[in-house]
Amino acid sequence: LKESIPYIFLQSVISRRVDIVFLELVLTEKCNLACKYCFEHASKISENDMSLKILHESILMGIRQCNIQHDNSLSISFFGGEPLLRFDLIQEAISYTLQHLPEHIHSFFSISTNATLLSEEIVSFLIKHNCRIQFSIDGTPESHDKNRITHNGTGSWVILDRNWSLIMQCINESSIPVKVKMVVDPSNVPYLYDSVRFWAIPNIEFSFDINYNTQWSQYAFNCLYSEINQITAAYKNLRISGFFITEIERVLLGLNNHNFTPSFCGAGISRLTILPNGDIFPCARFIGEDSFRIGHLQNGFDSEKLFIFKEPISAHSCYKNCIMFRFCDCKCPYINFYYTHDLFKPGTFTCVLE
């Protein structure tokens, strides 16, 4: 496994290497769920689908970026909305990429989906093309239904329950660990440890994404601290099962590899998000922040806006002053901007959390 291309790609994601071009395609702004915390939903101004013209131009731009940056890997991620609403565009994107990709560039595909629209055809296709699957599932059924609701306000776990055999097929047959990403906020934080235990099965990469766009009380934060302590105490035994947690592995990677160099996530440089209308953002988090629209497929990049994302890691305010710098989320430009309006300066909450 350690010598396989999927494993190399996975390690690149965990370590936040930026020698891969990551292209995130928002295939549709429509979604069949109405998650309470969704940043996409809050910033959405339309419900467009990506046209074939924009899709093809996006892929060709990704290939050009690989050549410009002398990178030999192109990762294309299918995002939404709910991308499986336009499964036809996923099929076309993979086919078009494989037809136009130069021999010296490796391709990787991934998808972020709420798993409600899975079918035998879709699962077989994703597995056949070694597509890295990320399920946006908030842990246990009780935790999941706190925020991941349908448009009529009911919990969506009942749909996952109907699709359970397809979800397990993805987990059991995928050549790359399937990622389960849980968004953690004050409403579901008491379920975090139970959620980790629930998903502690082989071939699962679990990730807990803290919802920074909400108010955390001291009680909720203390609960988060307690849940994480339980997770770290049990992690050695959990890890033996073939299950791993992204955030913990990133810390272990830094501790065990003295050659590990901390870096930004590559937003705006090697990581680009393309909207259905052709707008380019540094990552999906910045969607809706028009001041961070860094270009358009037809007009190219805005060099002035792009320049601010090219600052060296040494420009970060914590670079020389914090022993946690190698491991923490303070290198996410969006989270920093949300709290301090400075891409390179973290907020107090980030520091306390780490």
Side-chain angles (χ1 to χ4, degrees):
L1 176 62
K2 289 187 177 182
E3 295 178 355
S4 70
I5 287 178
Y7 183 85
I8 293 169
F9 168 65
L10 187 62
Q11 288 297 98
S12 299
V13 172
I14 290 175
S15 63
R16 287 177 172 164
R17 267 175 45 193
V18 292
D19 54 349
I20 293 177
V21 171
F22 291 88
L23 196 64
E24 194 168 49
L25 304 182
V26 180
L27 300 181
T28 179
E29 293 168 327
K30 300 183 181 75
C31 189
N32 61 327
L33 296 185
C35 302
K36 296 177 183 178
Y37 49 62
C38 182
F39 63 89
E40 283 263 329
H41 180 74
S43 63
K44 192 181 298 179
I45 57 174
S46 64
E47 290 198 342
N48 294 324
D49 291 347
M50 184 173 281
S51 67
L52 285 178
K53 182 174 185 294
I54 294 293
L55 181 70
H56 293 163
E57 288 179 354
S58 299
I59 293 167
L60 294 177
M61 184 200 70
I63 294 173
R64 288 196 300 273
Q65 289 299 112
C66 284
N67 290 324
I68 291 170
Q69 299 181 30
H70 305 289
D71 294 330
N72 63 358
S73 298
L74 173 63
S75 168
I76 298 179
S77 178
F78 306 116
F79 200 66
E82 171 48 50
L84 288 182
L85 287 169
R86 293 305 310 266
F87 178 56
D88 58 318
L89 290 181
I90 296 173
Q91 293 173 300
E92 172 62 22
I94 291 178
S95 174
Y96 190 84
T97 301
L98 296 178
Q99 289 175 21
H100 291 81
L101 201 68
E103 290 185 2
H104 68 280
I105 298 178
H106 299 296
S107 62
F108 306 101
F109 303 102
S110 62
I111 183 171
S112 179
T113 173
N114 60 35
T116 61
L117 299 176
L118 293 175
S119 67
E120 288 283 358
E121 178 190 7
I122 289 171
V123 170
S124 297
F125 180 86
L126 296 178
I127 292 172
K128 175 183 177 182
H129 292 281
N130 290 319
C131 191
R132 182 175 184 246
I133 301 168
Q134 174 180 296
F135 290 136
S136 298
I137 299 176
D138 285 352
T140 65
E142 296 82 4
S143 173
H144 181 86
D145 281 346
K146 291 287 184 181
N147 291 306
R148 301 194 65 81
I149 59 176
T150 64
H151 286 282
N152 64 13
T154 60
S156 60
W157 185 269
V158 64
I159 307 174
L160 301 184
D161 195 44
R162 289 199 297 266
N163 286 348
W164 195 251
S165 63
L166 294 171
I167 292 172
M168 293 307 298
Q169 183 182 349
C170 292
I171 295 169
N172 293 330
E173 297 183 15
S174 176
S175 62
I176 310 171
V178 170
K179 185 172 185 177
V180 173
K181 187 172 185 178
M182 174 182 179
V183 175
V184 181
D185 76 356
S187 70
N188 66 7
V189 67
Y191 300 93
L192 178 55
Y193 174 67
D194 287 343
S195 295
V196 168
R197 301 284 304 188
F198 183 88
W199 286 102
I201 57 178
N203 212 34
I204 284 288
E205 173 193 358
F206 189 88
S207 176
F208 49 91
D209 188 11
I210 305 299
N211 182 4
Y212 290 96
N213 296 4
T214 192
Q215 188 68 36
W216 284 78
S217 67
Q218 188 62 51
Y219 173 82
F221 182 82
N222 290 344
C223 186
L224 175 61
Y225 184 79
S226 174
E227 295 289 307
I228 291 177
N229 277 343
Q230 292 182 73
I231 293 168
T232 53
Y235 190 61
K236 183 178 180 180
N237 292 330
L238 292 173
R239 187 64 177 86
I240 292 173
S241 72
F243 162 87
F244 64 97
I245 298 175
T246 313
E247 291 75 15
I248 295 179
E249 291 297 319
R250 187 174 292 132
V251 173
L252 294 175
L253 182 66
L255 289 172
N256 296 326
N257 183 359
H258 297 293
N259 295 321
F260 175 66
T261 303
S263 64
F264 293 119
C265 62
I269 304 172
S270 60
R271 186 180 300 272
L272 303 168
T273 297
I274 317 296
L275 267 59
N277 65 0
D279 281 345
I280 306 172
F281 283 84
C283 84
R285 292 274 192 172
F286 282 102
I287 294 173
E289 299 284 352
D290 288 341
S291 60
F292 288 102
R293 188 177 72 90
I294 58 175
H296 190 277
L297 283 175
Q298 290 185 344
N299 305 322
F301 292 102
D302 184 323
S303 57
E304 290 186 6
K305 292 182 179 180
L306 204 59
F307 181 77
I308 62 175
F309 289 95
K310 294 185 177 181
E311 289 284 352
I313 195 68
S314 58
H316 197 287
S317 64
C318 302
Y319 180 69
K320 295 181 179 180
N321 304 316
C322 182
I323 60 173
M324 290 296 296
F325 180 70
R326 287 161 61 86
F327 321 119
C328 83
D329 264 345
C330 69
K331 295 178 288 296
C332 173
Y334 175 80
I335 294 175
N336 292 343
F337 176 77
Y338 179 81
Y339 279 106
T340 67
H341 296 285
D342 186 331
L343 297 174
F344 310 115
K345 182 180 180 180
T348 303
F349 181 77
T350 307
C351 295
V352 173
L353 178 61
E354 295 298 334

